[in-house]
């Protein structure tokens, strides 16, 4: 029975030793492969290649971030320019409204000047008619006075021998008074006519001034409309460029996001492969340790058996 047990143990030991030898050879092969992959330029090139790709992608990411920052700065500048354009448009709109108000006021003043001119013309015609009527009345009164003077002179001729006390002093006084009244009326008419002419000239000057102000306001309104059209065109152009930059930036961000996702997936797969290799290596190390323990156990058993067999023989 002991010889059978020893024979079984020897068979198992041979099997374990063969397995240990096979595993050691496989371990050596794997170690050689690992060393070759570590020392070979292909592995270094692979690692350098991935490091270069990672460096290039990091540089591209930094470049994209810088471009994003510049695009944001450009966007902020464009927003400020748009706000300035809006404020300028509002100012020009207010100036346009003010010009419209001034134009309406100048039109009202022009209408008032026209009405004043028409009233002055009507007043001048009325005064001319009144002067003509006064002239007619004066001519009639003068003719009547002449007739009275002639009749009175005829009556005086009949009294040639009359004393000096009966000379026509009252008639002369009456004629002097009439001439003074006539002169006063003529001077009053002249003063009124000169006043009307002065007011008419002033009305003409005001009319010309209002026309010139109207023309200047129209020119200013045209300039403001041209500036407003130019600012609207510039605003549309800035909005189009801003939208284009936003689209380009969004496309570049999507591209970089896809590249980063691909790199992360590749990194994850590399991590999984490295973890698998480390796990296999750890399993091999555990297997080697278990086999070495078994071999040590069998060696101790064999040594104990050999010493037990040698003692009775001694």
């Amino acid at each position: 029975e002991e010889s059978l047990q020893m024979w079984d143990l020897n068979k198992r030991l041979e099997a374990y030793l063969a397995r240990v030898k096979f595993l050691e050879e496989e371990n050596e092969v794997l170690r050689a492969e690992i060393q070759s992959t570590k020392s070979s330029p292909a592995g270094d090139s692979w690692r350098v290649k991935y490091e270069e790709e990672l460096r290039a992608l990091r540089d591209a990411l930094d470049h994209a971030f810088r471009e994003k920052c510049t695009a944001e700065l450009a966007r902020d500048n464009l927003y400020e320019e748009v706000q300035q354009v809006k404020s300028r448009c509002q100012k020009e709109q207010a100036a346009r409204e003010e010009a419209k108000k001034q134009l309406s006021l100048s039109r009202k003043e022009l209408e008032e000047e026209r009405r004043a001119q028409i009233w002055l013309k009507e007043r001048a015609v009325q005064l001319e008619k009144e002067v003509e009527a006064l002239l007619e009345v004066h001519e009639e009164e003068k003719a009547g006075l002449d007739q009275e003077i002639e009749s009175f002179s005829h009556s005086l001729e009949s009294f040639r021998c009359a004393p000096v006390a009966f000379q026509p002093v009252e008639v002369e006084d009456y004629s002097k008074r009439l001439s003074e009244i006539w002169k006063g009326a003529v001077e009053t008419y002249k003063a009124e006519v000169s006043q009307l002419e002065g007011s008419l000239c002033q009305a003409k000057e005001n009319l010309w001034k209002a026309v010139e102000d109207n023309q200047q306001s129209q020119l200013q309104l045209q300039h403001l409309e041209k500036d407003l059209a130019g600012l609207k065109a510039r605003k549309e152009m800035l909005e189009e460029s801003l939208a284009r930059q936003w689209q380009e930036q969004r496309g570049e961000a999507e591209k970089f996001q896809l590249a980063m996702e691909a790199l992360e997936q590749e990194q994850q797969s590399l991590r999984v492969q490295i973890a698998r290799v480390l796990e296999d290596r750890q399993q091999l190390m555990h297997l080697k340790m278990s086999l070495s323990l078994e071999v040590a156990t069998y060696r101790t058993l064999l040594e104990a058996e050999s010493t037990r067999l040698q003692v009775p023989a001694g």
Side-chain angles (χ1 to χ4, degrees):
E1 289 178 358
E2 288 179 357
S3 64
L4 288 173
Q5 287 179 0
M6 287 299 295
W7 184 75
D8 190 11
L9 288 172
N10 289 326
K11 290 293 185 182
R12 289 178 66 184
L13 182 60
E14 287 178 358
Y16 277 113
L17 289 172
R19 188 178 178 185
V20 167
K21 187 176 180 181
F22 175 73
L23 289 173
E24 285 180 350
E25 289 177 354
E26 190 175 0
N27 195 6
E28 291 293 332
V29 171
L30 288 172
R31 189 181 287 111
E33 287 181 358
I34 290 168
Q35 291 294 331
S36 64
T37 52
K38 284 182 178 180
S39 61
S40 65
D44 293 337
S45 64
W46 177 76
R47 187 174 181 181
V48 168
K49 182 180 178 182
Y50 277 102
E51 285 180 356
E52 288 179 354
E53 287 183 357
L54 275 172
R55 194 179 296 110
L57 288 171
R58 284 175 182 172
D59 293 335
L61 186 63
D62 293 334
H63 182 67
F65 184 73
R66 286 194 295 271
E67 286 184 351
K68 183 181 178 183
C69 291
T70 54
E72 287 178 355
L73 288 173
R75 181 192 64 188
D76 295 334
N77 292 325
L78 288 172
Y79 182 75
E80 289 178 358
E81 288 182 359
V82 168
Q83 292 295 325
Q84 289 177 1
V85 168
K86 284 183 179 179
S87 63
R88 190 174 176 185
C89 287
Q90 290 177 358
K91 289 180 181 177
E92 290 183 354
Q93 187 72 23
R96 188 176 179 181
E97 294 293 331
E98 187 67 25
K100 285 183 179 179
K101 289 180 181 178
Q102 290 181 359
L103 183 62
S104 62
L105 290 173
S106 62
R107 285 179 180 173
K108 289 180 180 178
E109 289 178 357
L110 183 62
E111 290 293 331
E112 289 178 356
E113 292 293 334
R114 287 178 181 174
R115 290 175 183 174
Q117 187 177 4
I118 292 168
W119 181 79
L120 288 172
K121 287 180 180 179
E122 292 177 353
R123 183 64 177 169
V125 172
Q126 187 177 0
L127 289 172
E128 287 179 355
K129 289 180 179 179
E130 289 179 358
V131 168
E132 289 177 356
L134 288 172
L135 288 173
E136 289 178 357
V137 171
H138 181 68
E139 291 292 335
E140 290 177 357
E141 288 179 354
K142 187 178 179 181
L145 288 172
D146 291 333
Q147 288 179 1
E148 288 179 358
I149 289 167
E150 287 179 358
S151 63
F152 190 71
S153 62
H154 287 300
S155 63
L156 286 174
E157 286 179 356
S158 61
F159 296 99
R160 289 180 181 178
C161 296
V164 182
F166 292 100
Q167 292 181 359
V169 179
E170 295 178 358
V171 176
E172 290 179 357
D173 293 333
Y174 185 67
S175 64
K176 286 180 181 180
R177 288 178 183 177
L178 287 175
S179 63
E180 288 176 358
I181 292 168
W182 170 248
K183 287 179 182 179
V186 170
E187 288 177 357
T188 305
Y189 173 72
K190 287 181 179 180
E192 289 180 356
V193 169
S194 62
Q195 187 177 1
L196 289 173
E197 286 178 355
S199 61
L200 184 62
C201 293
Q202 186 69 29
K204 285 181 179 180
E205 289 178 358
N206 293 327
L207 180 63
W208 281 108
K209 191 180 292 184
V211 171
E212 288 178 356
D213 292 335
N214 190 7
Q215 290 178 356
Q216 289 179 0
S217 61
Q218 286 180 357
L219 290 172
Q220 188 177 3
L221 184 62
Q222 290 177 0
H223 288 300
L224 289 173
E225 287 178 354
K226 288 180 181 178
D227 293 335
L228 183 62
L231 289 172
K232 284 182 179 178
R234 187 178 178 185
K235 181 182 176 183
E236 292 176 356
M237 184 175 67
L238 289 173
E239 288 178 353
E240 289 177 357
S241 64
L242 184 61
R244 196 181 303 112
Q245 287 182 1
W246 270 107
Q247 292 293 332
E248 291 177 357
Q249 186 178 0
R250 188 177 295 172
E252 289 178 358
E254 290 177 356
K255 288 180 182 178
F256 284 117
Q257 187 68 28
L258 291 173
M260 289 295 295
E261 289 178 357
L263 285 172
E264 287 178 356
Q265 290 178 1
E266 190 174 358
Q267 188 178 4
Q268 191 69 26
S269 64
L270 289 172
R271 285 179 181 176
V272 170
Q273 290 178 4
I274 291 168
R276 193 178 298 162
V277 170
L278 291 173
E279 188 177 359
D280 293 337
R281 187 175 179 182
Q282 192 174 4
Q283 288 179 1
L284 288 172
M285 291 295 292
H286 284 297
L287 184 59
K288 184 178 178 182
M289 288 174 67
S290 64
L291 288 173
S292 63
L293 288 172
E294 288 180 0
V295 169
T297 304
Y298 280 115
R299 280 179 183 174
T300 54
L301 288 173
L302 287 173
E303 288 176 357
E305 186 67 23
S306 62
T307 52
R308 189 176 66 79
L309 291 174
Q310 287 176 4
V311 169

